[in-house]
Amino acid sequence: MAQVSHKGFTEAKNLFITEDSIFLREKVNGVLVLEDNIIEVNDLEYSFGEIKAVDNINFVVRRGEIFSFLGPNGAGKSTVINILTTLLPMQKGKVIIADHDLRTEPEKVRESIGIVFQELTLDRDMTVRETLEYHGRLYSMPKAQRQARVNELLNLVELEAKRNVLTRYLSGGMKRRLEIARGLMTRPKVLFMDEPTIGLDPQTRIRIWDYVRDINREGTTIFLTTHYMDEADQLSDYISIIDHGQIIATGKPWELKNALGQDVIYLETSDNQGASDILKKLETVRGVRDKSKGIIVMVNVDGTYLLPEIMDKLRNGGIKIRAVNLKKPSMDDVFVHYTGRELRDTGTEKAVVVKPGRR
Amino acid sequence: MHKGFLTIYWRDMLRFVRFRTLLFTSLIQPALWLAFFGIAMSNNFERLTATLPVIPGVRTVGYLTFIGAGVMAMTTLFTSLFGGTVLLFDKNWGLMRETLSSPLPRIHIIVGIGLSAMTKSLIQAAVIMGFGLLLGVHFFEGYTATQILISLFGIMLFIGAFSLGFLFLSAAIAITMESPEGMQAVVTLLTMPFFFTSNALYPANSFPPVLRALSAINPLTHLVSGIRYFAIGSDFSSIGIRYTYTQGEAITSFVALLAFAAVMFLIARWRFTKVTVT
């Protein structure tokens, strides 16, 4: 059992946000117990020339978990995944994956992980079976084991019928499934998935999610990056929100949402500023934030019962209400709460410029 | 021993065999060289050299036989120099990420691709030789069956060593370049000096000194001389010039080709350690 006191954890104040979160639960006699951590990342930094793509990132992933990096394009998610999968060299920091130090034992790390890349990386000129076969051979799997595993995985991702079809003739969803099967070919301890459902239609996405859950249930730890709120919310045991190369918050999906209070009320009024001032005085209101046309009120109690009170207060203050909406906090709200901007609007506006000259 | 390079080899050969168009054109093109250029030039040279006295005591071979070895060597040069292109496509289409993030040592990629290009070159050379023999190239004349087998084996060794060297060079270029167009331009530029300072199509003896020096260190010259040594003999004349090529010279040529391949391998390995594919 490895007992390690972790500088990275004590310094990263915003790493975990609630009392019962993993960090505190793991503390035994003041020493962090890491025996169950399959990924430990400490003070990770990476720069492309002058541009810092990853800035002092710390996190742990526990064995058997689905852990997500949620953030906009260009937030540094792919850079982190590329470092963890040894495609980019380590510049600064310490990473342990499946008990191997990424810096000193990259080959051991490679043997322990599987990867599903963001872009399709299938050879169009190979068949489905050959794709898996090639992968198994790359990892020196014995022939019998390779064949058994190919059958097993084609069954899992429902591609038996396509066994001898060139990958160029597969649909987008099938290609994704094949890539997932390929990532699982060697029974990795951790499966890295970079934006696994990007560019897929809603039904296919849900199907891919089912596979991800199945795989996880069988014991594979999954680290995924996504810029889809619902994906992170639906799949993850833990989420780290990442923006501008930094982790802004980490927690279980419900913990992150609870930080916003129990409910979120959207109001459009004749005087948004006045309304905001009135509501901020209420004890049951956790915070108020401006939107382009209205305001968002985060409340600590059941909004269904608080809403009439709010409306009365505003009416008494001489403020006319034009529109009301009450909902549970969504991941979108969580993201805006922590980053101050909306995920879908950010696009590549502040995207990290990857090496010039690359494709 | 890690057999990873066989995986790379397997995949590359799979694609070679699968794409029959590519296979077919890669075999037909050198045959056309021999058929059109060879026969056309052959007729011209025969006419020009008809009045020259025959060198006594030495076997005289026709021009077609003379360039038969040259066309085999030329084809090997082109195939090998373009053989690395597959790595560039792999890199640009993201396919190489899978390979690079696997535990396979990178050196195996170079070795695997090198062996597959060598196989292709040998297949091509065999087809051109067969085609040449049909067209009237006089190889292995007066040889016994054993001598023919030994000669074939010698030619294979020369072509193998040569194609490995140029494939490693090609792989180093491919992994360094960003675009297929750039690669095409660089490789085309490279083929010119190698091709025209060699003795593939014409004798190098009458070159001016600078060209002759270049020709002497040109791996293509060594390959052509090696093929002629095994296929035609150590002492023959063609288009009025006498060629002698001792066993010692043949061994020197072979060692030169091996040395070239070794240097190119080191360069390719160095380029591969530099590459990051994300």
Side-chain angles (χ1 to χ4, degrees):
Chain A
M1 187 168 86
Q3 285 209 331
V4 187
S5 64
H6 254 275
K7 175 171 149 281
F9 288 96
T10 46
E11 280 182 2
K13 290 179 199 72
N14 58 359
L15 192 53
F16 299 108
I17 58 163
T18 58
E19 291 275 309
D20 67 340
S21 63
I22 156 177
F23 168 42
L24 292 169
R25 264 190 288 126
E26 287 300 295
K27 247 180 166 177
V28 179
N29 301 328
V31 178
L32 195 58
V33 179
L34 293 172
E35 57 169 342
D36 243 15
N37 293 342
I38 195 150
I39 302 178
E40 297 166 18
V41 175
N42 286 290
D43 306 331
L44 187 67
E45 290 194 13
Y46 195 89
S47 306
F48 293 105
E50 293 287 293
I51 305 150
K52 210 168 228 182
V54 176
D55 188 4
N56 192 31
I57 276 188
N58 296 274
F59 65 90
V60 294
V61 178
R62 289 168 22 117
R63 209 174 291 272
E65 228 167 50
I66 301 183
F67 188 100
S68 297
F69 257 20
L70 175 65
N73 296 330
K77 304 185 301 283
S78 290
T79 308
V80 171
I81 232 175
N82 283 334
I83 297 169
L84 298 191
T85 55
T86 74
L87 282 169
L88 282 175
M90 287 275 290
Q91 286 180 349
K92 196 164 168 285
K94 184 174 171 70
V95 175
I96 307 282
I97 296 177
D99 301 325
H100 300 293
D101 190 320
L102 193 61
R103 202 185 282 273
T104 55
E105 297 179 298
E107 314 80 28
K108 293 278 181 197
V109 170
R110 286 178 190 165
E111 282 168 19
S112 324
I113 63 174
I115 313 169
V116 179
F117 296 104
Q118 181 172 342
E119 297 92 18
L120 287 172
T121 57
L122 294 174
D123 188 337
R124 296 156 41 86
D125 304 331
M126 284 166 93
T127 66
V128 168
R129 185 193 64 79
E130 285 162 358
T131 302
L132 297 178
E133 175 84 15
Y134 175 70
H135 195 76
R137 282 177 163 219
L138 279 182
Y139 287 73
S140 318
M141 284 172 83
K143 192 175 182 190
Q145 199 184 326
R146 232 160 44 208
Q147 284 168 344
R149 191 68 179 146
V150 167
N151 294 335
E152 211 175 299
L153 286 170
L154 288 183
N155 192 29
L156 173 75
V157 299
E158 297 169 82
L159 284 175
E160 298 105 322
K162 303 285 177 183
R163 171 181 276 269
N164 292 317
V165 172
L166 292 182
T167 64
R168 64 170 68 201
Y169 300 119
L170 299 181
S171 70
M174 289 176 186
K175 284 181 184 159
R176 238 336 169 209
R177 273 143 61 193
L178 176 57
E179 291 203 313
I180 292 173
R182 183 176 70 184
L184 290 169
M185 186 70 192
T186 55
R187 297 184 186 276
K189 294 192 177 107
V190 190
L191 182 65
F192 288 88
M193 305 178 96
D194 198 1
E195 302 275 4
T197 64
I198 200 164
L200 298 178
D201 61 79
Q203 282 154 322
T204 313
R205 291 182 69 203
I206 289 167
R207 225 168 140 194
I208 299 281
W209 290 351
D210 286 338
Y211 294 128
V212 172
R213 287 193 197 98
D214 285 347
I215 293 158
N216 181 246
R217 220 169 281 137
E218 285 177 13
T220 310
T221 308
I222 292 174
F223 179 98
L224 69 86
T225 71
T226 183
H227 68 274
Y228 297 117
M229 299 291 168
D230 52 345
E231 187 160 285
D233 200 359
Q234 289 267 333
L235 289 175
S236 321
D237 295 307
Y238 276 92
I239 298 176
S240 275
I241 295 180
I242 178 168
D243 196 22
H244 297 317
Q246 290 179 316
I247 291 181
I248 289 163
T250 299
K252 297 185 173 178
W254 60 265
E255 289 176 336
L256 291 170
K257 287 188 218 164
N258 274 8
L260 271 69
Q262 210 176 60
D263 283 321
V264 173
I265 299 169
Y266 174 72
L267 292 169
E268 275 181 39
T269 64
S270 57
D271 175 11
N272 287 336
Q273 189 53 47
S276 173
D277 291 341
I278 292 172
L279 296 176
K280 272 177 186 163
K281 286 178 194 133
L282 291 179
E283 251 180 43
T284 43
V285 171
R286 178 174 282 224
V288 180
R289 206 177 51 243
D290 296 329
K291 292 277 284 181
S292 56
K293 279 178 166 175
I295 52 173
I296 297 271
V297 187
M298 291 165 279
V299 298
N300 286 329
V301 293
D302 189 345
T304 332
Y305 294 97
L306 184 66
L307 193 52
E309 191 191 330
I310 285 180
M311 294 176 83
D312 283 347
K313 279 255 156 60
L314 293 182
R315 210 167 289 132
N316 293 344
I319 295 169
K320 204 168 169 252
I321 297 168
R322 289 205 205 97
V324 178
N325 182 23
L326 170 71
K327 59 170 188 168
K328 293 277 164 200
S330 69
M331 268 295 154
D332 288 272
D333 301 317
V334 173
F335 191 82
V336 180
H337 179 72
Y338 283 109
T339 64
R341 57 207 183 102
E342 298 207 25
L343 190 53
R344 69 176 80 85
D345 297 338
T346 53
T348 50
E349 137 205 17
K350 288 198 171 174
V352 169
V353 180
V354 186
K355 280 190 198 174
R358 295 254 167 219
R359 165 176 59 108
Chain B
M1 201 183 104
H2 199 302
K3 297 210 189 71
F5 65 91
L6 288 178
T7 305
I8 304 289
Y9 178 83
W10 168 70
R11 174 172 163 239
D12 205 42
M13 289 315 289
L14 198 70
R15 294 155 50 102
F16 181 64
V17 177
R18 177 157 293 151
F19 294 97
R20 304 230 163 72
T21 328
L22 200 68
L23 181 71
F24 191 66
T25 51
S26 74
L27 294 178
I28 228 59
Q29 200 221 358
L32 290 180
W33 255 91
L34 204 55
F36 292 117
F37 184 83
I39 290 173
M41 288 305 279
S42 180
N43 282 351
N44 278 318
F45 274 117
E46 303 301 324
R47 205 160 49 100
L48 288 171
T49 57
T51 53
L52 290 176
V54 175
I55 302 166
V58 180
R59 189 162 78 89
T60 302
V61 297
Y63 181 69
L64 198 63
T65 306
F66 179 78
I67 69 152
V71 171
M72 280 167 66
M74 177 192 81
T75 311
T76 310
L77 174 73
F78 288 172
T79 304
S80 306
L81 264 182
F82 282 99
T85 318
V86 62
L87 294 173
L88 181 66
F89 281 114
D90 276 9
K91 190 176 79 165
N92 281 1
W93 290 345
L95 308 177
M96 196 174 276
R97 294 164 126 204
E98 178 194 5
T99 317
L100 289 185
S101 61
S102 78
L104 184 80
R106 291 184 177 187
I107 207 170
H108 285 255
I109 303 174
I110 310 172
V111 174
I113 289 286
L115 289 179
S116 77
M118 188 171 95
T119 311
K120 292 175 200 169
S121 288
L122 289 174
I123 295 172
Q124 276 184 336
V127 170
I128 300 160
M129 197 191 288
F131 189 70
L133 292 175
L134 287 179
L135 279 184
V137 168
H138 298 285
F139 277 179
F140 314 122
E141 249 183 13
Y143 283 27
T144 64
T146 326
Q147 278 172 324
I148 290 177
L149 278 181
I150 292 170
S151 297
L152 284 175
F153 183 69
I155 291 170
M156 273 177 62
L157 280 182
F158 266 79
I159 289 178
F162 178 88
S163 71
L164 276 182
F166 277 91
L167 191 281
F168 293 149
L169 173 62
S170 172
I173 296 169
I175 211 72
T176 312
M177 301 295 291
E178 301 288 350
S179 73
E181 293 82 4
M183 166 119 194
Q184 170 105 24
V186 170
V187 169
T188 310
L189 192 67
L190 270 180
T191 53
M192 288 289 168
F194 279 117
F195 188 45
F196 288 112
T197 66
S198 80
N199 57 355
L201 298 185
Y202 35 68
N205 309 39
S206 41
F207 282 180
V210 178
L211 275 185
R212 204 156 5 147
L214 283 177
S215 170
I217 55 165
N218 185 348
L220 192 61
T221 302
H222 290 288
L223 174 64
V224 173
S225 303
I227 297 176
R228 285 192 187 132
Y229 173 77
F230 284 111
I232 305 172
S234 57
D235 190 2
F236 63 92
S237 80
S238 182
I239 47 176
I241 295 168
R242 183 174 173 181
Y243 303 87
T244 52
Y245 201 59
T246 63
Q247 194 175 17
E249 283 173 314
I251 291 171
T252 312
S253 283
F254 187 62
V255 171
L257 290 181
L258 286 181
F260 177 73
V263 171
M264 289 303 134
F265 177 75
L266 291 179
I267 292 175
R269 200 181 62 172
W270 165 63
R271 292 312 308 165
F272 264 75
T273 55
K274 293 279 170 212
V275 72
T276 50
V277 177
T278 55

